[in-house]
Amino acid sequence: MVVRPIDLVNQPAPFQDRYKILQRLLDVLEKLKPNAKGKLNKLATGLELRVAKSSKSPQSYKFNMSILLRDLNKFQGDLSKIKIGHKPVAHSTPAVENKATKANAMEKLKSILIDVDTLEKNGYITSIGSAATATAIRSGDLQGDSEHAICLRCNTKFSKSEIMKKTLCRYHPLKKEYDRESKIHHYPCCGETAVSSSFLRLGCQTCDHHVFREQTYEGMSNITEFKDTRHVEGPENVLALDCEMAYTSLGYEMIRLTIVDFFTSKTLFDEIVRPIGQMIDLNSQFSGIHEIKESDSLSYDECMQRVLTSSLINKDSILIGHGLENDVNVMRILHRKIIDTAILYSKGRFKTSLKNLAFENINRKIQSGEHDSSEDAIATMDVVKSKIGIPIAQKEWN
């Protein structure tokens, strides 16, 4: 079988260079580990990927690979003595990983829990009157003007009480991107540039209503009160979750919730949820939801009654997600045991998308079409497993 390097969003070296070095690495491993031939392809690919991800240029990639090859020969293939980017490789190389224990996994997960201060700085509301609440109030729409909002799509100021009156909202569904070659921002949804004189520059899609999103604790509580998970008793568990949202007369609401168990990878809850407000836009391009039938969906209250229980989300649950503040805020829950991959992998004030994280860390392509909360929850969970050195495929635990 031909062994190929795993593609990266930002390639540190040309594919042919990576391919040749990977074959050389495989040859070295075959000489050093003749009794492990069935596992060497995966081992070589994993080692090369780690070097590629820790390298910023073709020169640094070749240098780092030369160090790896040197150390492999020096230590006779003993991975416990080898580092890549100053980090040991033995504990997180898939081909040499031992089966993890549940206790060990829990210890690793707790070590990457996000502290409360960081959560609040990233938009989480962890308690009534918390720093995040105060920050949200200070930075909220129109300095606390509860009667008006700024449309998230066309930037028009409008009265919330008149949101269901028909108007013209012209917008671009995708955010503008910067082209380094032309040094101009363009909209990937239609190709228009920010400096275009075309009428389409104002937007390639239209809607009959403006949309908004509450940013403050008070604003979100107007839809429904927050629920504090500290009042929900239950055993310690680890759950990955993701929501899909839509725009309604009350703002931004949850329309689908998926919860996956970390240790079994089983989907424990996946339901369509009817919003409280009057529907404006299902946001199907991103939510993947095209219709909500009362017979096939839960009300918000029914959903939360099933979710905030001892067997699902309770005070001792560790919740995993990407940009999870959006999910827990739209669920209206206050929770503090959080692992957020958007924060874990942030680069300064910039956050990497889940799509890129999944591609770079677990070699998985997601969100190729409409979003799927189940796909996103599982991808986030597997990115965390990869980060702490737990086999993604492991389903049984001691």
Side-chain angles (χ1 to χ4, degrees):
M1 186 177 77
V2 177
V3 183
R4 298 164 55 88
I6 295 173
D7 286 332
L8 292 171
V9 174
N10 297 309
Q11 296 279 16
F15 178 84
Q16 285 300 323
D17 290 350
R18 290 184 64 197
Y19 178 82
K20 290 177 182 178
I21 290 179
L22 177 57
Q23 309 313 309
R24 183 181 171 192
L25 175 59
L26 185 58
D27 290 340
V28 171
L29 290 171
E30 287 175 346
K31 292 176 183 178
L32 295 171
K33 295 176 175 289
N35 297 323
K37 286 193 174 182
K39 299 179 179 180
L40 293 184
N41 285 357
K42 191 173 183 180
L43 174 59
T45 303
L47 290 173
E48 191 278 337
L49 177 63
R50 288 196 61 177
V51 172
K53 290 168 70 173
S54 65
S55 304
K56 302 298 182 184
S57 66
Q59 292 76 19
S60 65
Y61 171 76
K62 290 180 180 179
F63 175 78
N64 292 335
M65 281 302 304
S66 68
I67 296 298
L68 173 61
L69 294 169
R70 180 203 68 187
D71 288 348
L72 281 170
N73 286 306
K74 179 180 178 180
F75 298 114
Q76 293 297 299
D78 185 352
L79 298 178
S80 66
K81 298 179 180 179
I82 295 174
K83 295 182 178 181
I84 294 177
H86 305 293
K87 295 180 181 179
V89 302
H91 73 283
S92 59
T93 303
V96 296
E97 274 182 311
N98 293 319
K99 191 174 180 180
T101 66
K102 197 168 187 177
N104 180 247
M106 287 300 298
E107 183 180 347
K108 290 181 177 180
L109 287 166
K110 289 176 181 178
S111 72
I112 58 173
L113 285 172
I114 311 297
D115 64 88
V116 173
D117 286 344
T118 302
L119 288 176
E120 293 180 349
K121 288 176 182 177
N122 282 272
Y124 287 85
I125 298 177
T126 60
S127 63
I128 298 173
S130 66
T133 305
T135 301
I137 292 171
R138 286 194 299 271
S139 61
D141 288 348
L142 305 174
Q143 285 97 31
D145 181 355
S146 60
E147 298 299 320
H148 296 84
I150 299 294
C151 179
L152 291 175
R153 288 173 165 172
C154 69
N155 224 25
T156 298
K157 180 180 177 179
F158 67 96
S159 172
K160 294 178 186 177
S161 62
E162 298 181 351
I163 192 170
M164 296 311 296
K165 290 185 178 180
K166 283 194 173 185
T167 185
L168 175 63
C169 176
R170 182 176 292 278
Y171 66 98
H172 292 284
L174 299 180
K175 294 180 180 179
K176 60 185 178 183
E177 298 177 351
Y178 185 70
D179 188 319
R180 292 183 178 180
E181 291 186 7
S182 65
K183 297 182 179 180
I184 293 175
H185 285 90
H186 74 282
Y187 296 96
C189 46
C190 61
E192 281 294 324
T193 67
V195 297
S196 170
S197 58
S198 167
F199 183 67
L200 284 178
R201 177 179 62 83
L202 301 175
C204 57
Q205 290 190 19
T206 60
C207 182
D208 290 336
H209 306 277
H210 294 306
V211 296
F212 73 103
R213 179 177 181 175
E214 293 287 4
Q215 299 289 340
T216 68
Y217 171 83
E218 286 77 5
M220 287 186 275
S221 295
N222 286 334
I223 300 178
T224 185
E225 286 295 324
F226 276 76
K227 298 169 178 62
D228 196 324
T229 59
R230 284 182 293 187
H231 303 310
V232 184
E233 298 292 335
E236 194 173 55
N237 59 10
V238 185
L239 308 169
L241 67 84
D242 188 74
C243 294
E244 300 296 351
M245 295 84 149
Y247 294 112
T248 76
S249 58
L250 298 177
Y252 204 47
E253 293 193 62
M254 171 176 64
I255 56 172
R256 180 183 175 185
L257 171 62
T258 303
I259 302 176
V260 180
D261 180 73
F262 181 84
F263 292 104
T264 64
S265 296
K266 291 181 179 179
T267 299
L268 305 179
F269 185 91
D270 188 12
E271 297 287 347
I272 302 298
V273 182
R274 298 192 300 278
I276 298 171
Q278 189 174 345
M279 183 59 64
I280 289 177
D281 188 348
L282 281 169
N283 216 18
S284 300
Q285 180 179 356
F286 303 104
S287 70
I289 307 298
H290 294 266
E291 183 181 15
I292 296 181
K293 295 180 180 179
E294 186 168 352
S295 60
D296 299 330
S297 60
L298 301 175
S299 69
Y300 167 82
D301 288 335
E302 289 170 336
C303 174
M304 300 315 293
Q305 286 172 8
R306 288 178 52 179
V307 167
L308 296 182
T309 62
S310 61
S311 60
L312 283 177
I313 299 177
N314 62 68
K315 68 177 184 178
D316 290 315
S317 299
I318 293 178
L319 301 184
I320 296 173
H322 185 84
L324 194 57
E325 77 279 4
N326 298 306
D327 305 275
V328 295
N329 285 350
V330 82
M331 290 172 69
R332 305 294 188 266
I333 63 173
L334 306 176
H335 195 75
R336 296 146 202 84
K337 294 185 177 181
I338 300 286
I339 297 174
D340 189 334
T341 50
I343 298 174
L344 284 177
Y345 286 89
S346 63
K347 299 175 182 177
R349 61 189 181 90
F350 298 102
K351 293 181 179 179
T352 305
S353 68
L354 177 59
K355 184 175 184 178
N356 286 346
L357 279 184
F359 186 66
E360 292 188 356
N361 291 276
I362 56 175
N363 196 31
R364 185 179 304 168
K365 292 184 178 181
I366 64 170
Q367 300 175 357
S368 54
E370 297 171 347
H371 286 203
D372 182 327
S373 56
S374 178
E375 178 185 61
D376 289 356
I378 292 170
T380 310
M381 178 183 72
D382 289 347
V383 166
V384 170
K385 288 181 178 179
S386 174
K387 182 174 182 63
I388 63 177
I390 291 178
I392 291 174
Q394 183 171 335
K395 301 293 188 297
E396 298 179 359
W397 302 79
N398 296 325

